[in-house]
Amino acid sequence: MKKELRFKNGKFRILCFSDSHGIKDFDKRVVRDIDAIVKNTLPDIVLFLGDNVWRDGAENEETLRAFMTAVTKPVTERNIPWAHVFGNHDMERGFLTKDQEKVYESIEGCLSEAGPEDISGTGNWVLEVKSEHSDKTVYNIWGIDSGRGIGEFLDYCGLPRETKTKLSDPLHVSSSYDAVKFDQQMWYWNESLRIEKENGGKVPGVMTMHMAFPEYVLLYKNVQETNFKGVHRESIGSGPVNSGFFATLVQRGDIKTVVVGHDHINDCEGEYMGIRLTYDAGIGYDGYCHGDLRGGRIIDVTEDDPWNVETYMVRSSDYVENYEFLNT
């Protein structure tokens, strides 16, 4: 039976880790760092936000299970549940996400699910956090599959793979990445409506995903207006197509925080149109990360005021004794 999520003493804490990039012979320091951060922050749930494995780590069930069992052990041994979303690298060896999902769900403590089979992506889910004293939902944790490459988006639209998507002078960052599809947005909208009706009002929440959408570019281009802060060391890795996901979140009005990974050496954040857009810097050692940024993002929610959360980065260097500030 999956663990129920509830506020405790009026509080609920979420801890996010991104881009662990596990391989078959993975660097064990990633487990050490996760253990130290979890031990010292004691979250109520831990989220792994994509590119959890890559290269030979994404090769088959054996390599995936070995890595995810290792990195979730510091979580599960403290009786803390966890969930995940997929990133662009998780399937690069052809091990399909729908098959990977079965491995994830078989590991102790996993709360995430494959999601509806009739919409795009694997791992579109919502976890409802209940009141401490009733079964009323106070806060929602959303996970959505932000896809892999732009080819998947072209397939979804019925366009040939050779369709030109990358322009020399785009409106925003132009790359080869995917975007959240319309059917996923409709799923979120309808699920949000369902939860609102069941609880007698809109329920605030956080949207977690791997890749940023194009509006993230506006943060560092408008530092004062967005109250931009944090570290921005690489370009925003969104795809060339703006599928309108941010506009959908604004119109629905219940998502006040978004957390993404993907760009390993960004941990910046800012606010636009009432939504706090945040980054979670990479935790891994088997992909490029910067030692001074490596860590996770905390989201602290209070039951009395769940619309206004506190979010901030915690570092491996905060808790790991003799931490090495190596960029890998």
Side-chain angles (χ1 to χ4, degrees):
M1 178 181 248
K2 291 189 175 183
K3 187 172 182 178
E4 187 177 59
L5 301 179
R6 283 191 180 273
F7 282 82
K8 300 173 187 174
N9 300 317
K11 298 179 180 179
F12 191 87
R13 172 168 285 181
I14 303 165
L15 172 60
C16 302
F17 291 119
S18 302
D19 298 278
S20 49
H21 277 258
I23 58 175
K24 188 173 182 179
D25 185 22
F26 63 91
D27 191 316
K28 303 306 184 290
R29 286 177 296 180
V30 68
V31 178
R32 176 203 65 183
D33 288 16
I34 289 174
D35 180 66
I37 294 173
V38 170
K39 176 183 177 181
N40 284 278
T41 61
L42 293 177
D44 295 293
I45 189 171
V46 173
L47 307 179
F48 294 90
L49 301 186
D51 283 3
N52 306 311
V53 292
W54 73 327
R55 296 180 177 170
D56 60 3
E59 204 160 65
N60 53 46
E61 177 180 342
E62 181 182 2
T63 57
L64 173 62
R65 183 180 298 279
F67 180 75
M68 289 308 303
T69 298
V71 296
T72 57
K73 184 178 179 180
V75 181
T76 57
E77 68 182 6
R78 294 180 173 92
N79 199 31
I80 300 170
W82 59 275
H84 80 287
V85 295
F86 288 110
N88 56 296
H89 280 295
D90 285 291
M91 202 178 73
E92 67 181 6
R93 287 293 178 92
F95 186 19
L96 299 179
T97 53
K98 68 177 183 178
D99 295 323
Q100 290 189 38
E101 182 63 29
K102 298 172 186 176
V103 178
Y104 279 94
E105 292 183 27
S106 71
I107 298 174
E108 180 185 357
C110 179
L111 297 186
S112 41
E113 299 176 342
E117 294 183 0
D118 58 346
I119 68 169
S120 301
T122 304
N124 302 296
W125 46 261
V126 58
L127 302 175
E128 300 178 37
V129 185
K130 302 293 185 178
S131 168
E132 185 171 1
H133 305 293
S134 73
D135 286 332
K136 183 177 181 179
T137 299
V138 176
Y139 196 75
N140 288 321
I141 305 170
W142 298 84
I144 206 153
D145 186 350
S146 57
R148 276 141 290 280
I150 189 61
E152 291 186 7
F153 193 85
L154 294 174
D155 293 343
Y156 174 78
C157 297
L159 296 171
R161 283 282 180 119
E162 59 269 23
T163 300
K164 189 173 183 61
T165 58
K166 192 169 185 178
L167 305 175
S168 58
D169 187 16
L171 289 173
H172 57 273
V173 173
S174 182
S175 70
S176 59
Y177 295 118
D178 205 345
V180 177
K181 320 297 192 302
F182 179 73
D183 60 353
Q184 293 174 285
Q185 297 179 48
M186 284 298 296
W187 167 81
Y188 149 70
W189 188 283
N190 290 330
E191 279 294 285
S192 175
L193 278 174
R194 174 189 64 80
I195 295 170
E196 177 182 359
K197 291 176 182 177
E198 290 178 356
N199 290 274
K202 285 188 178 181
V203 177
V206 58
M207 179 64 69
T208 66
M209 54 199 292
H210 182 65
M211 294 188 289
F213 34 73
E215 283 81 2
Y216 266 77
V217 177
L218 298 173
L219 300 183
Y220 66 87
K221 287 189 174 183
N222 303 273
V223 172
Q224 291 185 335
E225 294 93 331
T226 63
N227 193 27
F228 177 90
K229 60 182 179 181
V231 177
H232 167 242
R233 291 180 182 165
E234 64 177 312
S235 61
I236 305 301
S238 65
V241 174
N242 189 335
S243 68
F245 189 40
F246 176 73
T248 295
L249 300 181
V250 171
Q251 292 173 81
R252 181 68 195 119
D254 60 352
I255 298 298
K256 294 301 177 183
T257 309
V258 178
V259 186
V260 301
H262 186 52
D263 304 324
H264 306 188
I265 52 177
N266 290 339
D267 74 352
C268 48
E269 63 176 87
E271 185 172 320
Y272 180 48
M273 297 190 72
I275 300 179
R276 197 167 181 179
L277 306 178
T278 75
Y279 264 108
D280 178 32
I283 188 67
Y285 284 86
D286 293 302
Y288 74 96
C289 286
H290 284 182
D292 60 330
L293 301 185
R294 184 177 284 111
R297 177 167 288 276
I298 291 281
I299 303 166
D300 281 333
V301 190
T302 61
E303 183 166 355
D304 288 342
D305 189 12
W307 289 95
N308 295 296
V309 305
E310 183 180 6
T311 181
Y312 52 92
M313 287 292 301
V314 287
R315 314 286 185 194
S316 296
S317 58
D318 295 336
Y319 306 118
V320 175
E321 188 177 356
N322 299 321
Y323 177 74
E324 316 91 335
F325 285 90
L326 300 175
N327 294 340
T328 59

